[in-house]
Amino acid sequence: MSKPNARNSQKTPCEQCPLRPLPHFREFKPEELSFVSRFKTGELVVDAGATVLVEGSHSAHLFTVLSGWAFRYKMLEDGRRQILNYVMPGDLIGLQGSLLGEMQHSIEALTPVTLCVFERDRLPTVFHNHAELAYDLTWIASREERMLDENLLSIGRRSALERAAYLLAFLYDRSKVLNIFPNGAATLPLTQQHVADTLGLSIVHTNKTLKKLAEKTLIRWADRGCHILDDKGLRQLSGWEGFKESKRPFI
Amino acid sequence: MSKPNARNSQKTPCEQCPLRPLPHFREFKPEELSFVSRFKTGELVVDAGATVLVEGSHSAHLFTVLSGWAFRYKMLEDGRRQILNYVMPGDLIGLQGSLLGEMQHSIEALTPVTLCVFERDRLPTVFHNHAELAYDLTWIASREERMLDENLLSIGRRSALERAAYLLAFLYDRSKVLNIFPNGAATLPLTQQHVADTLGLSIVHTNKTLKKLAEKTLIRWADRGCHILDDKGLRQLSGWEGFKESKRPFI
DNA sequence: CGGGCCCTTGAATTCTCTCAAACAATGTGG
DNA sequence: CCACATTGTTTGAGAGAATTCAAGGGCCCG
C-alpha cells in the first residue's frame, strides 16, 4: 500500500467546474452553486495506485472526483480482494457504507485522481438549509445501490463471459457521458487483475475469458487497458440493457 | 407470480408502534413521531410468497416493514434469479434503486408481511421540513449499501462454505435484535432455494454445503427453515466480524 | 390418495482454480 | 547503453469445485 502522496493544490471554483456544463448533470441554481463552492474546502491530488481511503479509518472528508478513475474494494483477512464499484468524475466518495463512523471499504486510485474536498461535519448544514441538495445526496446513495444491485446480479448469476461483457459495457456506459475520451476511442484504465477482482474470478481465467471477448472483436486489450470496440455487442452478450438515466445530480 | 392479495387494514398509530420501543432503534422526538404518524397513510398485509413490488413498475409508495420477512431480487431474462438482500421489521422498502422512477428490482414476501404505507410524493416535505428525518433516510440508504458491499464481497471472494456461513450469520445478526424469536430459538424462514439464489450457487450444491454446516453442528435444517445453533461458529467460519451498529434510525 | 413442494443423494460433465513457466514492456541503477 | 528487476499478460496441464441430470423420499393439503 503506497502513500497517498497527496498535495493540496489551489482550489478550482465550482462556478468554473469543467464537469457541471456536461449535459449529463442536472443544472444548479445559483445559490446552490455558491453554497457548494463554499462547502468545498480544497482539492486533493492522488497518484495512480495510491490509496485514498482505508477501511477502518475515520475520514473527516467527503470527496467528489474531479478527474481520474478509482475503485472501492474490501478485503478478507487472507488477502482476497473484491472490487465493489468504480468511481469516476462526478461521483461522490465517502457516502457509501456509512455517513459517520468507520469506513467500511478502501478506495484506491486507478489513474491520477483530482478530488474536491468537503468537510463531513458540515453535512448537517446541507440537511437543514439545502433540502434540494440533501435530496440529491439521497438520490446519489440510491444510484450507488442500483449499481451494486446490478453487480450482485452479475457476479451471482451470470457466466464468466457474460460477467466480463457486463462489466466492460457498464464501465463504458458510465464513462462515455463524461467527455473523458477526447479522441473518441474508449480505453478503460484497468489491469486484468482489476477485472478479476471485480468479477470474482482468478486472473488466469479472467485472461482466458477476455481473450474470448477479443476473438469476437468486442474488445481489444492493449497498452495496459481495455479498448471497447463494440459496446452494443457487449451489452447484448451480457443481457444487460444499459442505464436508463436521464440527468443526474452531482455535488 | 401470485397476486399480492393485499388488504388495507386499520392503521396502527406510530405512537403505539411495537418496534419503536426496542433498544435497537433510536428514539424519536414527539414532533418527529407525530409527523411520521401523519406521513403513514395505511397498512398493507401481504401473504407469504406474494409479490410486493415488481421490477419495472412505478410505485407511489414507500413501505416500512412492521412484521414479517421479505427479500429483494433481480432476474435475468432466462429466469436466473439473484436475491440481493433481505428485508425485516424496521426496514424501509422502496428507497433502494431509485427515489423516483421505475423499480429496479422486485420484492417478495417470505412470511406473511405487514407494511406501513407512505406516500412517495410527500418525500419533498420530509426534506424541506424534517431535516433529521431526511438525514435518517440517507443513513438508511447508506446502511443498505454497507450490506450490499458485504454481500458482494461474500459472493465474489468467499468459498461456498464460507458464503453460506456468512449469510446465515448475517441474517441471524440482523434478526436477533428485533425480538422476533420469542422462545429464544432462532429460525430463519428460508428454503434452500432462497439460500442458493442468494449465494449464487445451484440448489444441489447449496444442499451439500448446508449439510456440511449441519455436520459441524452450526445449524440444523428442519421445519422449512434454518435453525441457528452456533452463530459465533458461523461468524468464525466465514471470517465475518458481525455488525458494528449501535442504535439505528427507522421511519 | 394424488399432486406439489421441498429436501436429499449419486454420477457425469463442465467450469474454474492453482501451479508453473515464459514473454513483453517498462523502469532503474550502474 | 546494458543488465536487471518489476509488473502485467499469456499459455498449458492437472486438480478441485460447482453444475446439470436424474431419481427418490418426506410432508402437507385438497
Side-chain angles (χ1 to χ4, degrees), chain A residues 191-192 204 207-208 211 221 224:
Chain A
T191 69
Q192 298 192 0
V204 173
N207 178 274
K208 288 166 184 169
K211 198 181 172 186
W221 203 276
R224 332 213 129 202

Side-chain angles (χ1 to χ4, degrees), chain B residues 128-198:
Chain B
H128 275 98
N129 303 333
H130 299 274
E132 280 85 2
L133 293 180
Y135 186 87
D136 285 351
L137 279 178
T138 312
W139 195 96
I140 287 168
S142 172
R143 173 176 183 262
E144 179 76 12
E145 282 183 28
R146 194 170 61 215
M147 293 192 278
L148 292 174
D149 283 354
E150 284 283 1
N151 293 352
L152 211 36
L153 171 64
S154 202
I155 296 191
R157 286 305 182 204
R158 277 193 248 254
S159 72
L161 195 66
E162 290 169 333
R163 242 184 274 185
Y166 161 74
L167 173 64
L168 300 173
F170 168 76
L171 293 176
Y172 174 78
D173 243 42
R174 284 181 62 189
S175 59
K176 72 179 177 192
V177 294
L178 297 174
N179 197 31
I180 49 182
F181 303 125
N183 47 0
T187 304
L188 311 179
L190 305 167
T191 69
Q192 298 192 358
Q193 185 67 64
H194 293 119
V195 176
D197 287 349
T198 311

Side-chain angles (χ1 to χ4, degrees), chain A residues 182-200:
Chain A
N183 47 1
T187 304
L188 311 179
L190 305 166
T191 69
Q192 298 192 0
Q193 185 68 65
H194 293 120
V195 175
D197 286 350
T198 311
L199 302 182

Side-chain angles (χ1 to χ4, degrees), chain A residues 157, chain B residues 81 83 86 110 164 167-168 188-214 219-227:
Chain A
R157 285 305 181 203
Chain B
R81 179 175 76 169
I83 295 182
Y86 292 81
L110 220 38
L167 173 64
L168 300 173
L188 311 179
L190 305 167
T191 69
Q192 298 192 358
Q193 185 67 64
H194 293 119
V195 176
D197 287 349
T198 311
L199 302 182
L201 299 171
S202 72
I203 178 138
V204 172
H205 197 242
T206 298
N207 178 275
K208 287 166 184 169
T209 303
L210 289 172
K211 198 180 173 188
K212 285 183 191 165
L213 290 180
I219 64 165
R220 194 167 60 85
W221 203 276
D223 315 325
R224 335 217 126 198
C226 178
H227 300 257

Side-chain angles (χ1 to χ4, degrees), chain A residues 131-146:
Chain A
E132 281 84 2
L133 293 181
Y135 185 87
D136 285 351
L137 279 178
T138 312
W139 195 96
I140 287 167
S142 172
R143 174 176 182 262
E144 180 76 13
E145 282 183 28
R146 194 170 59 213

